[in-house]
Structures are given as C-alpha cells and as structure tokens.
C-alpha cells in the first residue's frame, strides 16, 4: 500500500509540475529538473528521467517523459521501484488560460511496479494511526484528471535473495473520473497462464481519502484461479498503510458470502480475513468415472509451489454451510488458520462429514527448502463410501468408518510426500459391505489357479460386520499385522505391507468360509483351507493366488480340513434340499470324506506312497493348470464341495 501511495503521489507531482511549467513556458530541460525536485520533496523518493522530454502544443498542450524510474534513495537493490516506459499528459488550452490545472488524458505506457517480498516484518516501521489530513491540504486538489489509460503494465513481486519473482503481466486499464469524483475502471491482465478481467467502481470523497470510507464495487473474472468469477462490494478505509475492508459481501461463482478483512501493507503484509460462505468449492469435481483420478496412475512429480507462504502473514477464519473439495462434501465446515514465518497451522473441529464428524489439525512448513507436513485427525461415524470415493476415487467399501490418523512427511511433489510419509493409522469399518466383490466366490475360485485383479462384478457384494486394521507407516511403507474382516459368510485375518509410493501391496491373508447358511449367528466355527492366500502387485490389479505348497507338504492335514468342510456343508441343520438330523449328516459327511480321500490320493498323493521328501515345486509349476482334456483333482474336490 505504501508503495502504491508513493507511486501515485509521484505521478501526481509530475503532473502538477508539468502543468505549471507549461503554463509559464519553461524550457523542457529545466522542466525535468523541476519535476525531479518536486517528486523527491513530496514523497522522499528519487525520480530519474533517463530518456527524452518532449513538449507539444497541438492539438493541445502536452508533455511526454520517457524512461522514468522512481526509487527510494536509501535502497540499493532494485526490488523496490517503479519504472515507466513513458508518460504523456494532455492539457486543454482553456485549462492553461483559466489557471486551473486539468489533465484531459494521461497515458502511461509500460509501467512496472516492483513489490519486494519480505520474509520478516520490519519492526522499525511506524504504523500508528495518523490524523486525517485537512481537506484542502493535499496535492489532489491542485488538479483534476478526466481519463487515465494504462498500456502493457506489470506488477512484479520479487525477492532477490530467494530468487523468487511472480508477475501479473499485460495490464491494460481504462480509468474514467467523473466530475462528481466517481471512478469507473475496466481492464484485463494475465497471471501466469490465467487471464484476468476486472471492473472496478468507486466514489472518492472530497479532499483527502485518509480515514474516510470509500464505497467500492469489484467484478473479477479469473478462470483457473480460486474461482471463475468474483463480485464483491465493501466500504474501504485507508489509514496510513492499513487498509480496512468492512461490510464485505458478494458472490464467488454465484455463491453468496459475507464478512470483513484488513491488510497492513507497511512491510511484510499482515492479512486478517473472516468470511462466511453459503457454499465453498475447492478443486474441480470429476464428471463421471472417466474424469476421475486413475488408481493405477503414478504419483505426480510436478512441484507443488507453496513458496508464497513465506511472504505474507495471515489470520484466517473460513466457515461454510457446505464445503466441497473435489467430489467430497463437508457440511457444516469451519476452519481457523494462522500463517506466520512460512508456517501454516489450520485447525478444524466438529467438521460435518457424511453423517459423522472430523477433528484435527494440519501444519504446513515451507520456511525451509524442503516443505514439511503434519496431519492429525480423528473421524467418527463417517459413512465411508462417499468420503473415500470423493477424496480418493475408491468406491469399494461402504459402512460407518472410524479412524485415527497421525502422519508427517516432507517433499515438494506428490511422489516425494508419499515416499517420505511416516506415522500411524487405525481404521475400522462397521455394518457395511465390500462393493462389486464376492470374497467367498473369490476364495473358491482360487482352487483353479491365480486370479488377476479383483474379479469385479457390479451385481456382487460381500457383507461385512467389521473390517479393521492398524498401520505403522515408515518412509511410505504402511505395514499391518492385525488385518481382520468379519462377515456373515466370510472371516479373514492377515498381515502385509502397502507400498504407498509404488501404489502396490504385498499381503498374506488367511480366509475362512462359514460353511452353513445360518450365517453370522451360527454356532459353527468358520472353516478355512489352512492355506495362506497371497495378494501381491499394484493395488489397482493385484495377483491373488493360494500358497499351495503348504497343502502339498501336509496332505493328511489338508484331508482333515476338507473333511471338516464337508461336515460344515451338511451338518448343523442341513443345507439345500432340507437335509437334517445328525444321522443323515454323519452319513453324508462320511461319504464326502471318503470321496475327498480318494481325490486327495489322486491329486496330492498319499503319504504312505509318496516319497519321503518330495522336492517343492516352483510357484509356476504349482499354479500350472491341467491339460484341457484333463480335470484338475482340486477342481473335482471343489465341485463336490461347492457344486461348481
């Protein structure tokens, strides 16, 4: 703000001196010296005119100054200055004859305002409230301007030590000032690859603008930035370098908001904001699954640029009846954030999340070369399906979710953050389902060979009572030893590791089936094959296969296990067809056991006739299917068991 005021005062002083000297006919060389003296006296800034000065009298009195630099004398670096390619002022003859200075048109070409980016606030700056200046004691009353045109301007935010420069380029503005001091400004600019279009209306008070409310209306179109369109109105008051914005209201992409803001621009900016939104949208929602993120796609190496956090301090409170982050929705939402010294701390409590709540804190520290992140969060009673599908495009689990998360990491890209992730996580899903997957069917299918992928089917689900796991994460490797799934027809325990940077997993699970239609309430114990199942590869499409070496090493145990499965099928009240009674059950299970024994002898070999120490087969040989015209013995077993 101070730089802008100095720049404005410098231009005003130039115009006043030009008008006075033109009216009395002073030569252009002397005019340049007089302008420089007036600017330094009024502002404390040094003005240098390095180019030529031209005077004209047709069609109106006019003066043009080329290659102008306005800079603070005590500052040696070049990050605090205003440069102007040329300034042309047109003065009507009637204004010169009347003795009242009037500029009909002021054309400023290629101005560049360099704004220094500071990491620390300057404690020496005196920013105490200033008394209002008398209405007739300013240079603003010495002249009037009807029209200002800015062509190809720029604002450069620079820090030479950090080698940082961010620019707003291509600034073109047309400003018209009516006789009642109402200002209408329109124009366009470009921030990086994003075009900007603005429309500003304000009513300047008579005399000094210091400590007087100025009604301002702003419309900003900015595709690709915070929102596509912003319209706002407020009462703006300046007191020195402090800008107060009261009665702020407007719409962001058509959604209403209100609140207040202030900015201390005397040194490193200190911004305070309190805004309440009807709805706040952050990120772009996907348009169907085709537009959603790809689970198998590698993490991005594109740098995440948060360096701007070092050059502003802020106190922010944002509340919204509904907060949307991509496809995820939170209602209601309130976030308190403090930014200082390059460290952002954001806290959220009682955040409404799909029927539940979330509390936590996020810390982002960009003060060092390698940014660091800390996240702590508790979730309770949250419906898992919409949350996970909205945030991570994962739509396989539904149910009530509880979670405790504590993570920290470093890195300047997605891949770097995931590779450096450390912490713990405990997650529980209750009373829900695993969508598009039939785990019981997958377990039965494993007897035929390796499965590639999750064997999805839109008409299939696996009901679950509880799915839980605790993870310890070290350098992006999330390991668990207590994976547990409990469902009406399926039980499963397991251990394994999720490689977060590679988006892969390596698990060994022990699946069991409840071999009765009585379901979860059955008194029967679940029955498993006694063989661990391996799940390995990319988590989007892993390989799933039984480790059958364990069965071949101990066929007697496998026989006993399969016989037990036969009892489960035909005992405890019977199965299809109304089979009941202990005698019938024992008779059927005995026959099944005999059949299983024969099949095991054919497929696995009897211990009495098998070699004492058979060489274990290679995994590829174990999983090799039988010839097309020969049925696998294990297929026969499972056909007997499951009617396949």
């Amino acid at each position: 703000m101070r730089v802008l005021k100095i720049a404005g005062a410098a231009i005003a002083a130039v115009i006043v001196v030009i008008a006075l000297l033109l009216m009395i006919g002073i030569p252009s060389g002397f005019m340049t010296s007089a302008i420089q003296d007036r600017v330094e006296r009024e502002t404390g800034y040094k003005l240098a005119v390095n180019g030529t000065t031209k005077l004209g009298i047709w069609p109106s009195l006019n003066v043009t100054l080329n290659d102008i630099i306005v800079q603070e004398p005590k500052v040696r670096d070049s990050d605090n200055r205003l440069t102007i390619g040329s300034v042309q002022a047109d003065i009507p003859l009637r204004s010169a004859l009347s003795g009242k200075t009037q500029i009909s048109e002021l054309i400023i070409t290629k101005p560049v305002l360099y704004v220094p980016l500071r990491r620390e606030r300057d404690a020496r700056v005196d920013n105490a409230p200033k008394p209002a200046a008398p209405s007739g004691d300013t240079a603003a009353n010495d002249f009037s301007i009807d029209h200002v045109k800015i062509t190809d301007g720029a604002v450069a935010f620079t820090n030479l030590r950090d080698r940082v420069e961010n620019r707003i380029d291509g600034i073109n503005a047309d400003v018209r000032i009516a006789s009642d001091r109402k200002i209408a400004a329109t124009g366009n600019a470009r921030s990086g690859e994003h075009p900007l279009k603005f429309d500003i209306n304000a009513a300047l008070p008579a005399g000094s603008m210091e400590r007087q409310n100025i009604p301002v209306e702003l419309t900003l179109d900015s595709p690709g930035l915070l929102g596509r369109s912003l319209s706002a109105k407020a009462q703006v008051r300046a007191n020195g370098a402090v800008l107060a914005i009261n009665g702020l209201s407007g719409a962001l992409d058509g959604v209403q908001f209100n609140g207040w803001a202030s900015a201390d621009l005397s040194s490193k900016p200190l911004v305070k904001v309190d805004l309440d939104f009807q709805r706040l949208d952050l990120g772009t929602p996907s348009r169907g699954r085709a537009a959603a993120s790809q689970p198998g796609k590698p993490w991005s190496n594109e740098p995440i640029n948060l360096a701007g956090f070092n050059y502003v301090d802020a106190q922010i409170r944002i509340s919204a009846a509904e907060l949307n982050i991509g496809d995820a929705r939170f209602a209601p939402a309130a976030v308190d954030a403090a930014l200082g010294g390059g460290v952002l701390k954001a806290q959220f409590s009682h955040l409404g999340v799909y029927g539940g709540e979330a509390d936590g804190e996020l810390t982002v520290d960009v003060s060092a070369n390698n940014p660091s992140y800390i996240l702590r969060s508790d979730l309770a009673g949250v419906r898992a399906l919409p949350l996970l599908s909205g945030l991570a495009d994962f739509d396989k689990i539904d149910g009530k979710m509880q979670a405790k998360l504590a993570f920290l990491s470093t890195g300047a890209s997605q891949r770097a953050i995931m590779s450096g992730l450390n912490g713990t996580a405990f997650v529980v899903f209750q009373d829900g389902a695993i969508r598009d997957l039939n785990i019981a069917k997958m377990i039965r299918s494993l007897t035929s060979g390796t499965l590639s992928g999750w064997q999805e089917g839109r008409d299939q689900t696996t009901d679950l009572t509880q799915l839980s796991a605790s993870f310890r994460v070290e350098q992006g490797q999330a390991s668990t030893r207590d994976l547990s799934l409990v469902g009406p027809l399926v039980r499963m325990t397991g251990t394994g590791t999720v490689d977060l940077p590679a988006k892969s997993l390596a698990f060994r699970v022990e699946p069991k089936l409840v071999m009765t239609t009585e379901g979860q309430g059955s008194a029967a114990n679940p029955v498993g094959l006694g063989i661990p199942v391996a799940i390995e590869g990319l988590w989007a499409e892993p390989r799933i296969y039984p480790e059958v070496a364990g069965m071949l090493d101990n066929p007697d145990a496998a026989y006993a296990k399969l016989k037990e499965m036969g009892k489960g099928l035909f005992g405890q009240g019977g199965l299809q067809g109304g089979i009941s009674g202990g005698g019938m059950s024992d008779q059927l299970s005995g026959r099944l056991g005999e059949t299983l024994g024969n099949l095991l002898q054919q497929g696995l070999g009897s211990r009495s006739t098998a070699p004492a120490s058979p060489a274990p087969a290679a995994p590829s040989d174990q999983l090799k299917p039988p010839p097309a015209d020969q049925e696998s013995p294990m297929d026969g077993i499972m056909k007997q068991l499951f009617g396949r």
Side-chain angles (χ1 to χ4, degrees):
M1 183 66 183
R2 182 165 176 261
V3 174
L4 290 174
K5 292 180 68 177
I6 294 298
I11 294 174
V14 170
I15 294 169
V16 171
V17 173
I18 288 173
L20 292 174
L21 294 177
L22 280 175
M23 285 188 289
I24 61 176
I26 301 298
S28 61
F30 183 79
M31 179 186 296
T32 301
S33 177
I35 291 173
Q36 292 171 333
D37 293 341
R38 176 70 180 267
V39 169
E40 188 166 357
R41 184 169 66 251
E42 293 285 343
T43 68
Y45 274 57
K46 182 179 180 181
L47 181 143
V49 180
N50 298 321
T52 59
T53 302
K54 298 180 180 179
L55 298 175
I57 59 173
W58 184 261
S60 61
L61 292 176
N62 63 83
V63 61
T64 302
L65 281 71
N66 294 286
D67 194 4
I68 302 172
I69 298 177
V70 181
Q71 188 172 10
E72 187 175 356
K74 298 180 181 179
V75 177
R76 293 184 178 181
D77 58 34
S78 58
D79 65 347
N80 190 2
R81 70 191 192 281
L82 169 68
T83 65
I84 303 174
S86 66
V87 174
Q88 177 180 322
D90 292 343
I91 304 172
L93 287 174
R94 63 179 182 275
S95 171
L97 296 176
S98 65
K100 181 180 179 181
T101 306
Q102 178 186 2
I103 307 297
S104 60
E105 185 173 57
L106 181 66
I107 301 175
I108 304 174
T109 303
K110 293 186 177 180
V112 180
L113 178 62
Y114 292 86
V115 180
L117 297 175
R118 297 184 173 91
R119 283 181 173 263
E120 302 293 337
R121 291 181 59 79
D122 190 348
R124 297 171 298 175
V125 175
D126 180 14
N127 199 33
K130 308 295 191 301
S135 60
D137 191 29
T138 65
N141 294 320
D142 293 340
F143 68 96
S144 63
I145 305 177
D146 298 334
H147 182 211
V148 179
K149 186 176 181 180
I150 300 175
T151 303
D152 196 18
V155 179
F157 303 91
T158 61
N159 185 299
L160 297 181
R161 186 186 65 180
D162 294 346
R163 298 181 180 179
V164 171
E165 179 173 308
N166 296 315
R167 296 174 63 93
I168 299 176
D169 292 302
I171 300 176
N172 298 290
D174 191 273
V175 183
R176 296 189 179 275
I177 306 172
S179 57
D180 57 358
R181 298 177 66 83
K182 289 185 178 180
I183 297 178
T186 60
N188 56 73
R190 185 181 65 257
S191 178
E193 298 179 353
H194 304 290
L196 307 173
K197 184 178 179 181
F198 58 86
D199 191 336
I200 303 172
N201 292 279
L204 300 180
S208 172
M209 294 184 293
E210 196 77 10
R211 301 182 64 181
Q212 293 199 59
N213 286 335
I214 303 173
V216 176
E217 295 182 3
L218 167 68
T219 300
L220 177 65
D221 292 326
S222 55
L225 293 179
L226 285 179
R228 293 180 295 275
S229 64
L230 168 68
S231 60
K233 59 181 180 179
Q235 296 288 330
V236 180
R237 174 180 292 191
N239 184 13
V242 178
L243 201 64
I245 305 173
N246 298 312
L248 176 60
S249 63
L252 180 63
D253 289 341
V255 181
Q256 299 296 316
F257 68 88
N258 60 75
W260 61 268
S262 69
D264 182 350
L265 306 176
S266 57
S267 179
K268 179 183 180 181
L270 172 60
V271 178
K272 299 179 181 180
V273 175
D274 189 335
L275 294 176
D276 179 62
F277 291 83
Q278 290 182 353
R279 186 185 75 243
L280 181 59
D281 299 322
L282 300 176
T284 303
S286 63
R287 304 299 181 188
R289 292 189 59 83
S293 59
Q294 302 177 22
K297 185 178 180 180
W299 298 108
S300 172
N301 284 316
E302 179 120 4
I304 301 173
N305 187 4
L306 300 175
F309 285 2
N310 287 302
Y311 309 114
V312 61
D313 294 340
Q315 298 174 14
I316 301 172
R317 177 174 176 80
I318 300 292
S319 57
E322 180 181 332
L323 171 63
N324 300 323
I325 303 178
D327 288 318
R329 297 185 179 183
F330 307 91
V335 179
D336 291 283
L339 175 61
V343 180
L344 172 69
K345 293 184 178 181
Q347 295 181 328
F348 51 93
S349 61
H350 305 294
L351 185 68
V353 186
Y354 296 109
E357 288 188 346
D359 302 289
E361 180 180 86
L362 171 66
T363 301
V364 181
D365 186 350
V366 298
S367 59
N369 291 332
N370 198 24
S372 64
Y373 314 86
I374 300 175
L375 172 66
R376 296 185 178 90
S377 181
D378 293 342
L379 289 82
V382 177
R383 189 183 171 198
L385 178 61
L387 177 66
L388 296 179
S389 61
L391 288 179
D393 190 35
F394 184 78
D395 59 357
K396 299 305 181 188
I397 297 180
D398 198 3
K400 291 293 184 180
M401 181 177 69
Q402 299 201 48
K404 286 185 175 293
L405 310 174
F407 295 129
L408 60 89
S409 186
T410 59
S413 68
Q414 287 183 356
R415 179 180 290 275
I417 293 172
M418 300 309 294
S419 299
L421 195 66
N422 295 278
T424 58
F426 177 71
V427 185
V428 178
F429 303 92
Q430 294 178 319
D431 301 327
I434 299 177
R435 303 172 73 244
D436 305 333
L437 297 176
N438 187 329
I439 293 181
K441 183 177 179 181
M442 289 177 63
I443 294 172
R444 296 194 294 267
S445 299
L446 288 173
T447 60
S448 301
T450 300
L451 301 182
S452 178
W454 292 111
Q455 309 298 302
E456 295 179 322
R458 290 295 176 187
D459 57 343
Q460 303 178 8
T461 60
T462 299
D463 293 334
L464 63 86
T465 304
Q466 179 170 298
L467 172 61
S468 64
S470 61
F471 291 89
R472 182 177 182 85
V473 186
E474 295 182 350
Q475 297 300 308
Q477 306 298 309
S479 58
T480 180
R481 303 182 64 83
D482 59 2
L483 175 68
S484 174
L485 184 150
V486 178
L489 297 175
V490 176
R491 308 285 194 275
M492 187 168 66
T493 58
T495 63
T497 300
V498 179
D499 188 334
L500 296 173
K503 289 189 176 182
S504 65
L505 44 81
F507 273 78
R508 297 295 183 272
V509 298
E510 180 75 26
K512 296 182 179 181
L513 299 180
V514 177
M515 306 304 295
T516 173
T517 57
E518 295 182 32
Q520 185 179 350
S522 171
N525 292 324
V527 179
L529 291 175
I531 309 169
V533 174
I535 306 174
E536 297 178 341
L538 296 178
W539 65 42
E541 191 174 4
R543 293 177 64 248
I544 306 172
Y545 58 91
E547 292 189 332
V548 295
M551 175 177 278
L552 297 177
D553 289 344
N554 194 350
D556 285 346
Y559 168 80
K561 183 66 64 176
L562 292 171
K563 184 175 181 180
E564 184 180 357
M565 294 176 69
K567 291 181 180 179
L569 277 173
F570 296 102
Q572 301 293 333
L575 193 59
Q576 301 171 357
I579 299 173
S580 62
M584 177 69 76
S585 172
D586 292 341
Q587 183 180 4
L588 289 174
S589 63
R591 292 178 181 175
L592 180 62
E594 182 180 353
T595 302
L596 294 174
N598 293 333
L599 290 171
L600 279 171
Q601 289 176 0
Q602 297 172 20
L604 304 177
S606 172
R607 292 191 66 176
S608 61
T609 59
S613 301
S620 60
D621 296 334
Q622 297 168 10
L623 300 177
K624 183 177 181 180
D629 59 348
Q630 180 181 350
E631 184 183 68
S632 166
M634 286 303 297
D635 286 344
I637 293 174
M638 301 312 291
K639 284 183 178 180
Q640 294 269 358
L641 288 174
F642 300 106
R644 296 189 47 172

